[in-house]
Amino acid sequence: MITPVLLCGGSGTRLWPLSRKSYPKQFAALIGDSTLFQASARRLSGPEFAAPMVLTNADFRFIVTEQLAEVGVDPAAILIEPEGRNTAPAVLAAALWLEKTDPAALMLVAPSDHVVPDGAAFREAVRAGVPAARDGQLVTFGIKPTHAETGYGYLELAGDPGDFAARPLDLKRFVEKPDAGRAEEMLAAGTYLWNAGIFLFSVQAILAAFRDHAPELVAPVTAAVDEGRPDLGFLRLAPGPWAQAGDISIDYAVMERAGNLSVVPFAAGWSDLGGWDAVWRESGPDARGVVATGHATAIDCDDTLLRSEDEALEVVGIGLRNIIAVAMPDAVLVADAARAQDVKQAVAALKAKAAKQAESFPKDHRPWGWFESLVIGQRFQVKRIVVHPGASLSLQSHHHRSEHWIVVEGTARVTVDDEVKLVSENQSVYIPLGAVHRMENPGKVPMVLIEVQTGSYLGEDDIIRYEDVYSRD
């Protein structure tokens, strides 16, 4: 069996404003109805695959479980990284965990934010790499280039790939992201593949490779796994030893130093959606090169992407050429399509001016559901709160604010100090400043309420938790 290892701790900025630190692109439905993370989990499901492992951070752990449950995937393990240390420590942690549970397993390591339209073809490519992986090879997957891309690293083959059929080939070397001229040369040569960052190897082969080529990682990551703490079905890696592991990619730590490398070409379509130009390509532009997604309308436009993520906000483009326009409830991006890779500069500029839109998503996701701010004033705030069936907020109080709750859908079970009562649609309840309170959804459908906060300070850190079923500090 092959154990998929899904990496989903990243917080890329090149797809801002849709992708942000608090809710990155792997959890968004960028192409189709499923999120990229869900599509990755389903793509790596089937008779030859065991239940997946997931490596993520604490902020995303409940998003991961919720999205997997929505597509009927039950993970074998979810490892929580105390902090991002790049892909090498993450892969090593997964291998060490598997050594305890299935030491003869093959591991398929894959990012969870890629698009692979033909899942069957990808699974066939994985099968083609299995014999080499069982023989102790470290197998990587290279994508047949479709254009001279400067945003990817490359893999140089030792020989001509021929028809790019999926079969293990000898890998000569890894090549850093090129400039435009060098990318054109490599495309013309026909012996280079895009580096997809997807790997297949046995547990024992990759552990041996770490011991040989990155021995300094072995002790701290082993300690982080051995001292990890189970928490509500997750395994929290121990933060002390984890912090001692180097911040380094699997390519630099192991792959570029190893001699037992093979590469399987893949020519059936792939994208890491590394910019809005990639989203435009993968979305299937019409005859004039236009993609209008959601509540967007294009009039006499060419080679343009228009996208609105808010049903109350219509985006209309007239006479546009080579433009990217993406609208969220709290931020709008308008850019020349040729500058798609520069979107991260917008995030840096917003962070410099302390704009919350740089990193915070309009919807704030929680293990019990989500909320969004509708109106914010100097001493008041209005929120919409959605609570999943059977879910419960923590038992808490506030130093600086009181709250009014109005239920607009479903029924809430509300605790205010010693009183517990049900509050149904069109009913309200008042939470005085300092009162110990809790909100629960006892029903089988989502519960929606409007919360009106008033007080001198309305920040999310004005919470004293007394009990929490999700073990949040």
Side-chain angles (χ1 to χ4, degrees):
M1 297 287 282
I2 301 170
T3 298
V5 178
L6 295 174
L7 308 178
C8 65
S11 55
T13 58
R14 288 179 293 175
L15 291 181
W16 184 90
L18 182 61
S19 175
R20 308 188 198 181
K21 182 179 180 180
S22 67
Y23 200 76
K25 67 175 181 176
Q26 60 262 31
F27 302 121
L30 276 159
I31 306 291
D33 295 330
S34 298
T35 70
L36 299 179
F37 173 64
Q38 289 172 323
S40 298
R42 288 196 292 197
R43 183 166 58 250
L44 304 182
S45 300
E48 64 262 67
F49 293 103
M53 289 183 64
V54 180
L55 283 98
T56 189
N57 62 47
D59 291 341
F60 304 149
R61 66 196 190 280
F62 293 109
I63 300 174
V64 164
T65 55
E66 180 181 327
Q67 292 204 353
L68 288 177
E70 288 174 356
V71 294
V73 174
D74 187 16
I78 299 176
L79 273 56
I80 306 300
E81 300 176 76
E83 58 182 297
R85 307 303 291 166
N86 216 317
T87 54
V91 172
L92 178 54
L96 290 167
W97 187 89
L98 277 170
E99 186 182 36
K100 297 172 185 268
T101 58
D102 189 4
L106 295 182
M107 302 169 55
L108 180 65
V109 177
S112 60
D113 57 357
H114 292 180
V115 169
V116 182
D118 192 338
F122 181 77
R123 289 187 289 272
E124 185 60 35
V126 172
R127 284 191 285 269
V130 166
R134 293 215 177 276
D135 286 342
Q137 291 288 103
L138 307 179
V139 179
T140 185
F141 294 83
I143 310 302
K144 178 184 177 182
T146 58
H147 58 280
E149 175 62 57
T150 60
Y152 303 148
Y154 284 70
L155 306 170
E156 184 179 4
L157 301 173
D160 188 342
D163 61 356
F164 290 90
R167 65 198 187 283
L169 301 174
D170 291 334
L171 175 60
K172 184 176 181 180
R173 66 186 178 111
F174 287 72
V175 180
E176 294 294 321
K177 295 176 182 179
D179 59 26
R182 182 59 180 146
E184 291 285 359
E185 293 173 0
M186 290 192 289
L187 180 65
T191 55
Y192 292 85
L193 305 172
W194 289 336
N195 181 4
I198 303 171
F199 305 99
L200 177 69
F201 32 64
S202 70
V203 170
Q204 299 308 319
I206 192 61
L207 288 177
F210 272 104
R211 288 191 291 267
D212 289 343
H213 304 295
E216 69 281 0
L217 293 177
V218 174
V221 176
T222 299
V225 174
D226 290 345
E227 299 171 21
R229 177 170 59 88
D231 178 11
L232 296 177
F234 309 105
L235 176 65
R236 288 182 178 268
L237 301 175
W242 185 257
Q244 302 304 311
D247 186 337
I248 187 171
S249 73
I250 186 72
D251 284 1
Y252 285 133
V254 173
M255 296 300 167
E256 295 185 9
R257 306 175 185 182
N260 54 332
L261 296 175
S262 296
V263 58
V264 174
F266 184 69
W270 168 91
S271 175
D272 74 341
L273 293 186
W276 284 112
D277 51 343
V279 175
W280 171 80
R281 280 193 298 271
E282 295 300 320
S283 298
D286 65 17
R288 294 188 62 173
V290 172
V291 173
T293 305
H295 299 268
T297 303
I299 300 171
D300 190 27
C301 295
D302 292 288
D303 301 323
T304 289
L305 171 68
L306 300 177
R307 187 177 183 115
S308 173
E309 297 296 323
D310 186 347
E311 62 183 15
L313 197 160
E314 290 287 339
V315 172
V316 180
I318 302 175
L320 302 179
R321 305 290 181 269
N322 303 309
I323 291 295
I324 294 167
V326 181
M328 296 287 291
D330 63 338
V332 178
L333 169 71
V334 181
D336 187 314
R339 302 288 300 276
Q341 292 300 312
D342 294 333
V343 169
K344 57 188 177 183
Q345 295 181 18
V347 178
L350 291 174
K351 288 176 68 175
K353 62 189 290 187
K356 65 179 183 179
Q357 289 91 336
E359 297 183 337
S360 297
F361 204 69
K363 286 184 179 179
D364 201 324
H365 291 261
R366 292 287 191 266
W368 44 260
W370 56 268
F371 69 83
E372 63 180 339
S373 294
L374 303 178
V375 181
I376 301 177
Q378 187 171 354
R379 289 182 57 88
F380 75 92
Q381 180 171 203
V382 181
K383 291 182 177 180
R384 174 167 56 173
I385 299 176
V386 178
V387 183
H388 297 317
S392 169
L393 280 68
S394 61
L395 186 67
Q396 59 185 253
S397 66
H398 308 295
H399 281 306
H400 302 288
R401 69 175 185 255
S402 60
E403 297 171 341
H404 294 262
W405 292 344
I406 304 97
V407 176
V408 294
E409 293 182 30
T411 298
R413 179 188 292 121
V414 175
T415 299
V416 181
D417 290 329
D418 295 328
E419 182 183 7
V420 179
K421 62 180 179 180
L422 294 178
V423 182
S424 300
E425 289 184 15
N426 296 321
Q427 294 181 330
S428 64
V429 62
Y430 173 60
I431 314 297
L433 186 150
V436 177
H437 60 280
R438 168 180 277 157
M439 176 199 315
E440 304 168 73
N441 180 0
K444 298 184 180 300
V445 298
M447 184 267 291
V448 183
L449 62 81
I450 301 300
E451 176 181 86
V452 181
Q453 302 176 353
T454 56
S456 59
Y457 179 73
L458 306 175
E460 285 302 310
D461 54 347
D462 180 25
I463 295 178
I464 303 171
R465 287 196 176 99
Y466 304 96
E467 294 177 10
D468 184 54
V469 297
Y470 307 108
S471 299
R472 292 170 293 174
D473 294 334

